[in-house]
Amino acid sequence: MLQSLEKQLSGAPLFLVPRGESRKNRKEKAGLEDRLLAAGADRQTVLVAVGGGTVTDLVGFTAGTLQRGVAYLSLPTTLLGMVDASLGGKTGVNTPAGKNMVGMFHPPAAVFTVLSALRTLPPREWRNGLAECLKHGLLGNADYFQWVADTGLDEFRRDGDSLRRLVQQSVRLKMNVAAGDPREASGSRHLLNLGHTVAHALEQLSGYRFPHGSAVACGLLWEAAAARADGYLSAGSLEKVARAMKRFGVLPAWTERTPEDILHAARSDKKPPIPRS
């Protein structure tokens, strides 16, 4: 896909940025800005972000501040990028204080999804995206959640129709929420944070070695267990959530930090705060 894009954008400079959440930081953003300005970027420049969620976050934030704001296009190449990271206009970088603590709302001019780009993804990257798909189902469509849980990773990788349905429905479910509260002003968009306060704490505490999808799965299960303990969720529903997460293999054992450490880190997240007991 990149080679084809280079032909379409003949003469446009190509800039490579490091992959991984640990490299999505202010230093990398400043370096990218310097390279763009040295190449002559101006107010008419359009950036094209090709990559996973870390790339679209970094490039989107750079586009939002370069020359006080230029347009950008997003071409996500991971399932997570297609169903979540590239959608909704959130951009940002990580800081020592937490994940995505510095950023802005700067939606792309367009998002182009090329499903064939997923063919080379390793299983871990598929699981990252599927955790977000399960979250979308929990939020807005129980039938979709169950279909994702029942279908399984191998079929999504093998069957184009199932993959197309997966991406289309997840995009629709996320944007139905995000479009009603594009800048998180009314609070309705907070629904999309399901599982993410705990997830971001796990990622930060692990130095971003903990995969985002696994962190989200742990956060979803943690919050489901809390809802069960408080009487908001039935035992059967909790079991369905746990079974789905376990089936996709997104719940690794992690004993490096205590639950108290995780809760402390979660309280510093930019999302709605966890009440202190």
Side-chain angles (χ1 to χ4, degrees), residues 51 58 92 95 175 186 233 252 254:
L58 178 64
T95 76
M175 294 311 298
S186 70
L233 193 70
W254 195 61

Side-chain angles (χ1 to χ4, degrees), residues 19-22 54 78-80 120-132 153 157 203 206-215 248-250 252:
R19 58 173 294 185
E21 283 288 336
S22 64
T54 58
T78 65
L79 181 59
L80 176 63
T120 59
L121 283 187
R124 165 173 154 160
E125 290 297 334
W126 281 88
R127 294 187 185 105
N128 276 336
L130 286 168
E132 291 286 354
L153 175 59
R157 298 180 71 182
E203 290 180 87
S206 71
Y208 299 102
R209 289 180 291 107
F210 211 99
H212 180 71
S214 295
F248 284 116
V250 292

